[in-house]
Amino acid sequence: MAKTRERRPGIVIMARLIALVGPLAWVIILAVIGGALGFLCAMGVMVFGALGVAKLLGEVVALSYGQIMACAILCGVLRGVLRLWEQYSNHYIAFKLLAVIRDKIFKALRVLCPAKLESKQKGAIIAMLTADIETLEVFYAHTISPICIAVLVSLTVLLFVGFYVSWYLALAALAGSLVIGIVLPLVSSVRLRPSGVAYRKEFASFNGYFLDSVKGVKDIVLNNAGPARAAEVDRRSEKLQEQTAIARRATALASGVTELCVSLFILIALLAGVGLHLSGGLSLGKMIVGVVAIFGSFGPVIAISALPGNLTQTFASGDRVLDLLEEQPSVTPVTDGVDFDFDHLEVRNLTFSYDREPVLRGVFLTARRGEIVGLVGPSGCGKSTLLKLLLRFWEKDGGEILYNGADVAAVNSKSLLDNVTMVSQSTYLFDETIEDNLRMAKPDATREELEEACRKASIHDFIRTLPDGYQTRVGALGDNLSAGERQRLGLARAFLHDSPVILLDEPTSNVDSINEGIILRAIARQKRDKCIILVSHRASTMAIADRVYAIREGIMEQER
Ligand SMILES: Nc1ncnc2c1ncn2[C@@H]1O[C@H](COP(=O)(O)OP(=O)(O)OP(=O)(O)O)[C@@H](O)[C@H]1O
Ligand SMILES: [Mg+2]
């Protein structure tokens, strides 16, 4: 269901995202330490240089010129090593942590499905699995560490300047860091938000429309709707460009202001240093060392001010990922229930609604092994819904669904799936070989079993005509499998799975009457030790049913 609640506060998202990767937080800490030490070494080169100049100007320095030079060189070399360390840690974070989060999301989805994937949010979930998780990489590898590095470096420089040079200069450095690293980012994050939000909205709108048009290009051509569609693509593209320009201008302005402030604070530090020296409070040598240190310390702080542009997006992604991880499944898998070996099914006074409108208002049905039960009713009356409830895609609102007398909510989910198979109205085929696609229903099936299932589904002869037979990749066929062929492959899967209960949702809606006859005879032959529940509009299909029920306005009636 669409959420209307506000986004979590940024700080909460950050804390939760860090907690999410808990045990791996040490890698982030390593990256931060490497980064901070690296920065300090880079500054060290300059500070030791300044120290040399200070010594030249008569400052008392405990090190010889040679030692100062050696320290500067050492800092330069260490800088390289530490940079490698930081980069290595950041990449490790990027790959390892993202794998951890993907794993968590898939686990969450496994519990949330199938109900979650039945809903219209499929696109959003795919977007999350791809785009949002990529965005989080930015958070872990390029947001937390810059912030921590900036804090560590600024603090170190502050203490160094304070103790070694002058607390007044340290104060100037602190003011600079606070303004550049905190005030400016906050202000620009507020200012950039509207243009960022508008940009992403246009971006999503353009992408969605464009992809949709590519997917539906056949129907566009058939309806001669090309020119109108192209005009709309142009219009959205132009709007997107406008928004891009606006967002770019805002970002450019923000970075310009930051640069200005950096120059300003360097000037302030310099003036303060000169002032202190002239008033006799500070030797020239120390003044140079202090001002050089402050110049250098702004580097990591500037990096923070470049963040807000990304951060809003990162927070939005983080918020969506947290939402999914926290979502309560509409159905929790049962593992401590009962196992059963199907004998009979009884549905009593079942009621169900998706939103508010009830779909099923009073459904009664019985079915046992050796029977074919037919289900008819107008389109949209809830036939597919009933089959899905038998598999507990959703929790029912009221009534009972009893397998051997045990309620569907009390039997183990695995046992339920072992006993009941459904062939839905649309069969999904993976981009693998036909054999792999069938085998997923029974991984250890023999070749004979495989072919036997295909014969029953009246698809064996067709598969033999394919260039590589059972080894033909479905992807290689593109969209060239007809709806009926797909449907029959779905049936073959179900026959191979060989569970006692088979739910068939319109199994013959896309096949001609000859194939329908073959499939129905195969279904009828299975009936001896199976229970088959068959949904169909066709009277000819219903001919093989032992009993037929009809759903009218949510109420089930037995027709014959
Ligand atoms: N995931 C869902 N969320 C909300 N409403 C749904 C969902 N799935 C189906 N519905 C609605 O529930 C009603 C029953 O749908 P269902 O698919 O069970 O009908 P059906 O009898 O199988 O129809 P058909 O013969 O066309 O396949 C319809 O009004 C449909 O729009
Ligand atoms: Mg249906």
Side-chain angles (χ1 to χ4, degrees):
M1 297 301 110
K3 293 221 169 58
T4 45
R5 66 159 192 77
E6 282 279 298
R7 203 191 74 189
R8 296 171 177 78
I11 191 86
V12 174
I13 296 181
M14 289 216 300
R16 296 284 315 278
L17 286 178
I18 294 172
L20 198 62
V21 297
L24 282 165
W26 61 267
V27 191
I28 300 178
I29 295 175
L30 276 183
V32 168
I33 293 176
L37 288 179
F39 251 114
L40 290 174
C41 280
M43 285 171 52
V45 177
M46 289 194 293
V47 170
F48 279 110
L51 214 59
V53 175
K55 194 176 166 84
L56 210 64
L57 291 171
E59 192 71 37
V60 186
V61 178
L63 301 171
S64 70
Y65 285 117
Q67 283 169 328
I68 291 178
M69 185 88 95
C71 284
I73 293 175
L74 186 69
C75 276
V77 173
L78 270 181
R79 162 67 168 158
V81 176
L82 288 166
R83 184 85 182 141
L84 180 72
W85 168 1
E86 185 201 357
Q87 289 293 318
Y88 186 83
S89 312
N90 274 342
H91 282 98
Y92 184 83
I93 295 168
F95 296 118
K96 191 80 178 180
L97 293 194
L98 293 193
V100 170
I101 295 181
R102 285 213 172 93
D103 191 52
K104 279 186 196 270
I105 291 191
F106 273 113
K107 283 202 179 112
L109 275 176
R110 276 182 66 153
V111 179
L112 291 172
C113 293
K116 179 95 181 163
L117 286 187
E118 279 289 311
S119 70
K120 280 119 206 143
Q121 299 177 357
K122 222 186 271 182
I125 293 173
I126 292 171
M128 168 178 306
L129 287 177
T130 51
D132 282 345
I133 296 185
E134 289 297 322
T135 313
L136 286 190
E137 194 240 295
V138 175
F139 172 72
Y140 287 112
H142 309 290
T143 305
I144 315 181
S145 13
I147 293 179
C148 296
I149 290 172
V151 170
L152 283 179
V153 170
S154 302
L155 223 63
T156 313
V157 171
L158 203 76
L159 293 178
F160 170 73
V161 172
F163 280 113
Y164 182 69
V165 185
S166 143
W167 284 103
Y168 290 114
L169 264 191
L171 209 64
L174 177 67
S177 300
L178 289 180
V179 170
I180 301 166
I182 297 181
V183 178
L184 283 186
L186 285 181
V187 171
S188 60
S189 120
V190 172
R191 280 181 46 91
L192 289 182
R193 185 170 294 177
S195 64
V197 169
Y199 166 76
R200 273 187 296 285
K201 200 170 133 246
E202 287 305 328
F203 186 72
S205 142
F206 174 79
N207 261 5
Y209 192 79
F210 191 71
L211 279 182
D212 206 29
S213 305
V214 171
K215 274 193 220 149
V217 75
K218 199 166 65 191
D219 290 79
I220 294 175
V221 172
L222 288 178
N223 287 294
N224 196 17
R229 201 83 187 174
E232 179 64 16
V233 168
D234 274 352
R235 196 186 65 80
R236 290 189 195 214
S237 162
E238 260 156 38
K239 278 193 80 173
L240 174 60
Q241 245 175 359
E242 274 168 36
Q243 278 307 333
T244 313
I246 294 175
R248 289 258 161 86
R249 268 202 295 278
T251 317
L253 183 71
S255 73
V257 170
T258 305
E259 296 290 331
L260 190 72
C261 283
V262 171
S263 308
L264 213 66
F265 276 102
I266 288 179
L267 202 65
I268 291 176
L270 192 62
L271 290 179
V274 172
L276 283 170
H277 171 64
L278 290 182
S279 64
L282 194 62
S283 70
L284 187 60
K286 279 195 173 177
M287 190 273 274
I288 293 178
V289 172
V291 172
V292 164
I294 293 174
F295 286 2
S297 75
F298 286 143
V301 184
I302 296 173
I304 298 188
S305 69
L307 290 179
N310 308 330
L311 266 192
T312 346
Q313 204 169 348
T314 312
F315 284 160
S317 293
D319 200 44
R320 281 192 290 269
V321 169
L322 291 174
D323 267 352
L324 182 86
L325 293 179
E326 274 173 12
E327 188 169 328
Q328 287 303 315
S330 48
V331 175
T332 33
V334 180
T335 49
D336 55 355
V338 291
D339 286 336
F340 69 105
D341 182 16
F342 180 80
D343 177 67
H344 61 277
L345 163 73
E346 186 170 6
V347 178
R348 281 196 215 136
N349 200 20
L350 174 68
T351 55
F352 179 74
S353 59
Y354 284 105
D355 302 316
R356 282 170 302 272
E357 273 300 291
V359 177
L360 301 175
R361 292 189 297 148
V363 167
F364 294 83
L365 175 149
T366 56
R368 54 182 60 249
R369 270 193 199 246
E371 266 188 342
I372 298 179
V373 173
L375 213 58
V376 295
S379 179
C381 71
K383 303 181 295 295
S384 300
T385 303
L386 173 58
L387 296 191
K388 285 171 194 166
L389 286 172
L390 294 182
L391 269 168
R392 199 162 163 264
F393 274 31
W394 289 281
E395 225 52 274
K396 52 192 165 11
D397 292 347
E400 288 167 305
I401 296 176
L402 304 167
Y403 286 102
N404 296 1
D407 195 86
V408 69
V411 300
N412 285 327
S413 302
K414 182 176 177 321
S415 184
L416 182 63
L417 289 174
D418 283 343
N419 277 281
V420 189
T421 314
M422 176 161 78
V423 180
S424 70
Q425 277 174 290
S426 55
T427 295
Y428 187 82
L429 296 175
F430 295 89
D431 183 14
E432 292 163 7
T433 64
I434 299 231
E435 176 165 343
D436 291 337
N437 265 292
L438 295 169
R439 228 173 240 291
M440 60 177 287
K442 188 179 182 188
D444 56 353
T446 63
R447 186 67 194 219
E448 284 67 40
E449 286 175 312
L450 215 67
E451 291 188 7
E452 181 55 28
C454 288
R455 270 192 211 97
K456 284 179 191 162
S458 184
I459 188 75
H460 175 68
D461 290 336
F462 167 76
I463 296 174
R464 286 209 324 194
T465 65
L466 294 172
D468 298 318
Y470 280 82
Q471 297 310 319
T472 310
R473 285 183 73 94
V474 169
L477 298 169
D479 279 341
N480 295 341
L481 278 177
S482 77
E485 285 151 5
R486 281 174 186 271
Q487 203 166 31
R488 283 178 281 159
L489 283 171
L491 265 179
R493 245 188 213 161
F495 288 152
L496 194 63
H497 189 55
D498 203 27
S499 59
V501 185
I502 303 183
L503 311 177
L504 300 174
D505 203 347
E506 302 278 6
T508 55
S509 59
N510 290 312
V511 293
D512 56 38
S513 51
I514 298 176
N515 280 308
E516 182 190 14
I518 299 172
I519 292 171
L520 290 180
R521 274 196 295 283
I523 293 174
R525 269 202 308 278
Q526 302 257 324
K527 141 179 163 179
R528 204 173 352 103
D529 59 340
K530 290 203 189 307
C531 167
I532 294 166
I533 299 183
L534 183 61
V535 169
S536 180
H537 285 111
R538 289 198 190 176
S540 53
T541 302
M542 281 302 142
I544 63 164
D546 297 298
R547 270 174 299 121
V548 176
Y549 292 91
I551 303 180
R552 284 197 190 86
E553 282 164 16
I555 306 287
M556 183 88 110
E557 294 158 12
Q558 186 165 347
E559 284 214 326
R560 68 172 165 83

